């Protein structure tokens, strides 16, 4: 099982946050996994890769009913000292002052209001369900006392692509994070690449290009059961490639270097 050392993640408070979330989620009966920058850093830690410091803590939670989400927030506030934030119903502040994003999927989706047309709900395409079903790995703390499910690197890239497309003016760090994953992916997953993606070595290419092709293939597997989501990702990437530096995705990747 993969190991995670919270001291090396430069955020020992994360352990207390996870323990609080685990207690609340187990009590209420809902599942979760870690996404975002800390999920990326847990993977980078496997090869002692140091990334930029982040204070972001992001959880995706599987909510069977909308009432369960409100019950979770009430429990965290009453029992664990968390405080709700103004203007963002999906974020709470931990007793240590860390903002924790709690992003629901299942019967309630963070972007459900964006997926309605003519009064009818459309297929949700934020990727949370797909990553939950096909792109999680189990991590364990160094002392063996804590286990947590973390999105795979292709899963993280998928979620960041979608988040940046939805809110490019706010999610300005996502393109740089994606580029960083492309840079280190080969070092982290060379065994998988050699065993399952040997065809990417047909031409002499930089390791980042090989990584990009493999991540693209892995994302294809993740979204294979949701044609609408697959089409969304394909269309978005095609459009950004056509725009080149005039599009926010490539422009912000360039800026991050």
């Amino acid at each position: 099982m993969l190991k995670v050392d919270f001291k090396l993640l430069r955020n020992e408070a994360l352990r207390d946050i996870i323990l609080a979330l685990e207690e609340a989620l187990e009590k209420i009966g809902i599942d979760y996994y870690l996404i975002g920058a800390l999920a990326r850093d847990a993977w980078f830690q496997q090869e002692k890769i140091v990334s930029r410091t982040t204070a972001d803590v992001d959880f995706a939670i599987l909510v069977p009913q909308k009432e369960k989400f409100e019950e979770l927030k009430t429990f965290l506030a009453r029992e664990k000292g968390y405080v709700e934030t103004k203007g963002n119903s999906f974020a709470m502040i931990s007793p240590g002052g860390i903002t924790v994003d709690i992003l629901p999927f299942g019967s309630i989706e963070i972007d459900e209001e964006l997926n309605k047309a003519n009064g009818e709900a459309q297929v949700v395409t934020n990727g949370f369900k797909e990553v939950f079903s096909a792109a999680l790995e189990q991590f364990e703390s160094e002392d063996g006392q804590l286990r947590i499910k973390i999105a795979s690197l292709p899963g993280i890239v998928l979620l960041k692509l979608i988040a940046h497309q939805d809110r490019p003016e706010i999610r300005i760090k996502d393109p740089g994070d994606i580029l960083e994953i492309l840079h280190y992916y080969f070092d982290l997953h060379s065994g998988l690449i050699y065993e399952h993606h040997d065809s990417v070595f047909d031409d002499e290419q930089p390791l980042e290009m090989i990584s990009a092709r493999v991540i693209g293939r892995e994302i294809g597997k993740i979204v294979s059961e949701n044609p609408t989501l697959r089409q969304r990702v394909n269309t978005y990437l095609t459009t950004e490639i056509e725009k080149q530096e005039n599009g926010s995705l490539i422009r912000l990747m360039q800026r991050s270097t």
Side-chain angles (χ1 to χ4, degrees):
M1 184 177 294
L2 297 167
K3 297 288 185 179
V4 58
D5 188 329
F6 295 108
K7 292 181 180 179
L8 294 180
L9 283 180
R10 297 159 290 168
N11 194 346
E12 294 184 63
L14 175 62
R15 182 186 179 89
D16 293 333
I17 290 172
I18 293 175
L19 287 171
L21 262 293
E22 274 199 329
E23 181 181 343
L25 294 168
E26 182 177 354
K27 178 180 178 63
I28 298 169
I30 53 182
D31 206 348
Y32 77 99
Y33 63 96
L34 185 65
I35 60 175
L38 280 172
R40 173 206 62 197
D41 288 350
W43 282 104
F44 281 6
Q45 191 182 100
Q46 307 310 306
E47 290 292 331
K48 297 181 172 59
I49 298 165
V50 178
S51 183
R52 63 176 173 81
T53 303
T54 179
D56 299 335
V57 180
D58 304 292
F59 293 93
I61 63 168
L62 177 60
V63 183
Q65 297 95 26
K66 188 172 183 177
E67 293 74 19
K68 293 289 185 181
F69 182 55
E70 298 302 324
E71 184 180 348
L72 171 63
K73 292 194 295 181
T74 299
F75 180 91
L76 289 172
R78 185 180 63 244
E79 304 293 337
K80 300 299 179 179
Y82 279 63
V83 178
E84 294 196 50
T85 59
K86 294 181 179 180
N88 185 353
S89 60
F90 301 111
M92 299 189 77
I93 308 297
S94 76
I98 296 175
T99 300
V100 181
D101 286 328
I102 307 171
L103 309 175
F105 67 99
S107 65
I108 172 177
E109 299 277 348
I110 189 172
D111 64 352
E112 65 177 355
E113 296 303 320
L114 301 177
N115 288 277
K116 292 181 180 179
N118 300 321
E120 295 182 3
Q122 303 300 300
V123 177
V124 174
T125 59
N126 58 29
F128 288 124
K129 290 180 183 177
E130 288 71 22
V131 171
F132 180 77
S133 298
L136 297 184
E137 290 286 347
Q138 189 86 25
F139 281 69
E140 184 180 63
S141 62
E142 286 291 330
D143 59 10
Q145 299 300 308
L146 180 63
R147 292 186 177 183
I148 181 171
K149 284 178 280 194
I150 295 180
S152 70
L153 288 175
I156 294 170
V157 170
L158 171 64
L159 296 178
K160 285 184 174 293
L161 282 171
I162 294 170
H164 180 71
Q165 183 189 20
D166 280 341
R167 297 178 293 170
E169 72 286 353
I170 297 175
R171 305 282 305 199
I172 60 175
K173 294 180 181 179
D174 288 331
D177 290 342
I178 292 170
L179 188 63
E180 190 175 32
I181 290 172
L182 294 179
H183 183 72
Y184 292 116
Y185 187 79
F186 192 94
D187 295 332
L188 290 161
H189 289 293
S190 57
L192 176 144
I193 294 171
Y194 283 120
E195 183 175 355
H196 298 289
H197 298 281
D198 59 315
S199 61
V200 298
F201 296 101
D202 291 344
D203 303 314
E204 291 187 9
Q205 297 185 56
L207 294 182
E208 288 87 349
M209 184 65 71
I210 291 173
S211 295
R213 294 179 65 187
V214 173
I215 288 173
R217 291 179 178 184
E218 294 297 315
I219 289 176
K221 295 176 184 177
I222 296 171
V223 302
S224 62
E225 298 301 316
N226 188 337
T228 305
L229 176 58
R230 183 183 182 92
Q231 184 60 49
R232 174 183 177 175
V233 175
N234 281 337
T235 301
Y236 176 54
L237 290 175
T238 300
T239 301
E240 290 298 305
I241 290 169
E242 291 173 350
K243 291 179 180 178
Q244 292 294 307
E245 66 273 8
N246 292 321
S248 63
L249 183 64
I250 293 177
R251 184 178 70 253
L252 291 172
M253 282 185 173
Q254 291 175 328
R255 185 181 299 176
S256 73
T257 62

